[in-house]
Amino acid sequence: IIRIDVQLETHHLVDHIEWDLASPLTPEQFAKGLCADLGLSGEALPLIAHAVQEEILKHKKDAVEWGIIGGDRAEGGRGHRGPRRLKGIWRDWMEVKDYGPSIEELTPEELERREMERERASRRMRRETSKFQRTTAGAYYRDNRPPRPSRLR
C-alpha cells in the first residue's frame, strides 16, 4: 500500500493505493490519470509522480531485503512469500474513506503552521542524526583504536 501525502500550493492531497511492484505502469502515467480524475494541473503531476516513485522504491528495497522479490527462490526452498494476491478491485464500503483520495483546502494560517511543523521535524532529524553520529563515532574510536606503537629505548 502506497501512501501519497503531497501539498500542492494551497491544497493537501492524501491517498492510499495498492501498487503491484511488478506493474508496468509508471508513476508518471499514474499521476497523469490521478490529476485528470481530480482536476489537478500544473505542478501537481511531477509532485505526485515523485511521491509515488519514492514510495515504490522504499517498498522494493524492503521487499528485496526481506527476500520477497529478487534472488532465486528455488535454491532457498521458501516458496511464495509476501502479500496476498489481489483477487478483485472491489472494496468493502467501510474502507472507502481509507482508500479514496482526499483533497483539503488550506488556509494561510494552516499553511504557516505546516511550514513550522516541517521545520521543527527537520531540526529534530538533524539533532538525532548528529547525536547518533557522535555516539557511534565515539564508540568506534574507543573500542577499535589501533594500539599505540611502543617507544624504543
Side-chain angles (χ1 to χ4, degrees):
I1 298 196
I2 292 179
R3 177 175 162 77
I4 301 171
D5 188 351
V6 180
Q7 184 172 330
L8 311 163
E9 295 179 10
T10 61
H11 294 86
H12 185 228
L13 170 67
V14 177
D15 198 359
H16 296 89
I17 56 171
E18 286 193 42
W19 191 279
D20 181 3
L21 293 179
S23 172
L25 182 67
T26 66
E28 290 79 16
Q29 292 169 330
F30 173 79
K32 188 181 234 182
L34 183 64
C35 288
D37 290 347
L38 298 176
L40 301 172
S41 62
E43 68 180 35
L45 189 124
L47 290 173
I48 293 170
H50 181 73
V52 170
Q53 182 67 33
E54 281 185 343
E55 287 285 315
I56 291 171
L57 289 174
K58 183 177 73 170
H59 285 293
K60 281 186 178 180
K61 179 181 174 265
D62 290 344
V64 168
E65 286 177 357
W66 297 338
I68 296 171
I69 61 173
D72 189 10
R73 291 189 186 141
E75 286 180 14
R78 286 190 246 172
H80 177 70
R81 292 179 60 200
R84 294 186 315 256
R85 299 232 178 251
L86 186 62
K87 294 179 180 164
I89 60 170
W90 300 107
R91 296 206 173 275
D92 292 335
W93 286 106
M94 302 304 288
E95 295 180 327
V96 169
K97 287 183 181 178
D98 295 335
Y99 287 93
S102 158
I103 297 180
E104 178 186 356
E105 179 80 27
L106 301 175
T107 65
E109 293 83 21
E110 290 173 322
L111 286 169
E112 186 176 332
R113 182 178 51 81
R114 286 178 189 258
E115 183 63 31
M116 287 175 33
E117 288 173 3
R118 230 180 280 131
E119 288 175 8
R120 283 187 197 130
S122 175
R123 285 193 303 264
R124 189 177 316 116
M125 287 298 292
R126 275 186 268 152
R127 273 195 311 269
E128 289 173 5
T129 302
S130 66
K131 183 174 23 172
F132 175 75
Q133 288 173 344
R134 280 192 307 249
T135 304
T136 57
Y140 173 76
Y141 288 122
R142 252 190 323 254
D143 301 334
N144 298 323
R145 188 171 286 161
R148 290 185 179 175
S150 60
R151 294 187 181 221
L152 298 173
R153 292 183 194 202

